[in-house]
Every structure is written in structure tokens, then in C-alpha cells.
Amino acid sequence: MDLSIIVPVYNAIPLLERCLDSIFHQTTQYSYEVILVDDGSTDNSVGVIEARKENNIVLYRQQNAGPAAARNRGVELAKGRYIAFIDADDYWNDGYIEQTIKFLDEHKECVAVSVGCKSISLGNSPRFCPYTSNDDTREEPFVIPNFFEYWAEFCAPGTCSTTLRFEAVKQSGGMRGDLRITEDYEYWLYLSTFGQWGIIPEVFYVSDGGAVTQVQGHIKKDIERACKSPNLAEFEKRIIGRVSDEETSHYQKARGRVSRVLTYSHVITGRFSLGRIEALKYGKYFPQDKIGRLMNLAKHTELTWRCLAYLLRWREYHR
């Protein structure tokens, strides 16, 4: 078996068929299995899966434990040389399987390879994630020279745009099941300490889960997960000891991007003091986006921080 494709499923009825069709319609010479881990769905997602006619589907059902735990369970069941994750509300363009396996077969030094992503937000135009810097317009697949630096700049790869070498996944121990938010960030940064990472700068992955968000509701789908956001020290506890002295400056930039996301999660879920503590400690490494700059301006006094925090919280609950 060449590839095990792991799909966490949770109340995915609106888009599940689209995801599965995008997998089974791939043109490829490689063999693959599709492992669907139902994470305690309360809709008829299991019925949709059981009605499929393909013979290379594996269905596993578990009580709700979150996406990281579902992916780890899929890895335990996997038989492929490589592992790929895709969420049930996203899809792949034709060529994903063929090109990612071909790359990893040719680049034994790489533990993973990621492809270009098109992210479609509800009501917005498609947004293409950048995969090269302004002075680097490579169009051919390449190996990333420094993963921390690259990830800090582009916040890529994405969870469902990456194929991984099975041996590396097993060696790393998989995703952290205790993280319900930023579990993919943590795993990519951690996995990068086990080997190099490749990029195929062609869009084979499309993130478009708007229909699921509409059904579940923004508060239910996103805010409840944000309530479980850890502080940065807890997030990076298995990464930090593997960062070499030469990589420290690059890792600080990656750390800043993660902390900015976690701080925002703390704020919108009412943990204002924790958010300010994180901003004071790591704010100098935040990306220079609008919210990152506002946080750095507001963090110096309790009053200005609370004013910004209430504003951001109101904005999130009313968007």
C-alpha cells in the first residue's frame, strides 16, 4: 500500500461526499486506502460512508475526542508507506496523490511535502496562500532550506495539504491529542525537527468548509475550540528541546506567529489577563498584521488591553 488517507469526520454531511469524490476521482498509479474516523457524529455521516461503493474504505467510530485524536487513530490503522490527512469539509484537485508521492519517492531526505492551497472563505473571493517570497518565484517543487523561517512567514503548510512519510509519523508519536486548537501548527513545527520538508507550488488542495460552518454555527465550530487554547509554554513543550542553537532566531519568529494566534483565542474567550501575559512576553515576535500591531500597542497597560480585548471579543461574536 502506497498511501493511507485519513479523514476525521464530525457532523460532515453537507460536504462529505464532495471530499470523498475528490479522493476517489484522483488519477494515479499508486495504491491507497481511505480511513474515515467518525469522531462521535450526531448526524448521518456514518450512513453516508457506509453507502459508498468503494472497496478501499475503512470506517472507524469513536466517541468525540477531537481531530488530533481522530488522526492518530487513523495512523494506528494505516498500512501505507505514506500518510495524508484531509478534513471532511475540504477537497483535493486531481494530481494531489500522484505528485506528493512522486516527490517523496525522489526526496528521501524529506519527512513531508506540502502543496499549494486555495482557501475560500464564506462570502469572499478565493485566496491563494503564498508559497514563495517576493524575491523567490520558483515554480518547480523544492526542499525548504529552513522550515521555521518559512512557516513563520507564510503560515504554511496546511493540515490537509501535506503528505507525510509513515516512519516519521510513527517516530514522532503523532499529533497531540490534548490540543483541540493549533494541533496542526504544533505537529508541523515538531515534525520538522525530524527531517526536511518539501513544497510543490501548485494548488492541489482547496479549503472550503463554509457550508459546515453555516450548519454548525461559527460560535459552535470555532469559539468552543478557542476556549481550549493553551498558553505558549504548554504548546511548545515537546518542540523547544529539539530546536538547535542555529535555529533559535528562526524559531522565535515561528513562536511569535503561534503566540499571536493563541493570544487572540485567549482574548475572544474572555481570558484577558492570560492574553496580556502572553502578549507582554512574546509580542515582539508577533507578525505585523493589523491585530498583531494593535496588541503590541495595547499590552502596556491593563486599561488599554481590556479596551482592545472587549472590542476584539465583540467583533468575533458578531461577524
Side-chain angles (χ1 to χ4, degrees), residues 260 263-273 275-276 279-280 283 286 289-317:
R260 154 67 177 79
T263 299
Y264 186 81
S265 296
H266 302 331
V267 165
I268 65 171
T269 54
R271 292 170 292 168
F272 299 158
S273 295
R276 185 174 176 232
L280 286 167
F286 283 1
D289 61 355
K290 184 183 298 184
I291 292 178
R293 291 196 299 270
L294 284 172
M295 285 179 173
N296 271 316
L297 287 172
K299 69 183 181 182
H300 298 290
T301 72
E302 182 71 23
L303 176 62
T304 54
W305 181 257
R306 283 193 168 267
C307 287
L308 176 63
Y310 280 116
L311 176 64
L312 293 177
R313 194 164 192 255
W314 183 92
R315 169 182 173 269
E316 191 66 26
Y317 276 81

Side-chain angles (χ1 to χ4, degrees), residues 68-82:
R71 294 181 190 118
N72 287 342
R73 177 62 66 186
V75 170
E76 291 175 3
L77 301 171
K79 299 176 181 176
R81 299 185 294 128
Y82 301 114

Side-chain angles (χ1 to χ4, degrees), residues 211-276:
V212 171
T213 301
Q214 280 185 314
V215 171
Q216 295 183 7
H218 164 58
I219 303 299
K220 178 72 174 177
K221 186 172 186 290
D222 298 327
I223 301 296
E224 287 189 5
R225 292 178 63 237
C227 288
K228 301 178 176 69
S229 58
N231 61 32
L232 186 65
E234 174 63 23
F235 169 92
E236 67 178 6
K237 65 182 183 182
R238 70 172 181 172
I239 301 170
I240 195 67
R242 296 182 62 88
V243 178
S244 68
D245 292 341
E246 295 77 15
E247 295 175 309
T248 298
S249 62
H250 299 303
Y251 178 68
Q252 294 285 27
K253 296 175 184 177
R255 169 190 266 175
R257 181 175 284 279
V258 174
S259 181
R260 154 67 177 79
V261 171
L262 295 177
T263 299
Y264 186 81
S265 296
H266 302 331
V267 165
I268 65 171
T269 54
R271 292 170 292 168
F272 299 158
S273 295
L274 175 58
R276 185 174 176 232

Side-chain angles (χ1 to χ4, degrees), residues 50-61:
E50 291 176 335
R52 299 288 301 200
K53 304 301 184 184
E54 294 85 5
N55 60 10
N56 53 343
I57 286 180
V58 176
L59 172 62
Y60 182 88
R61 302 179 70 176

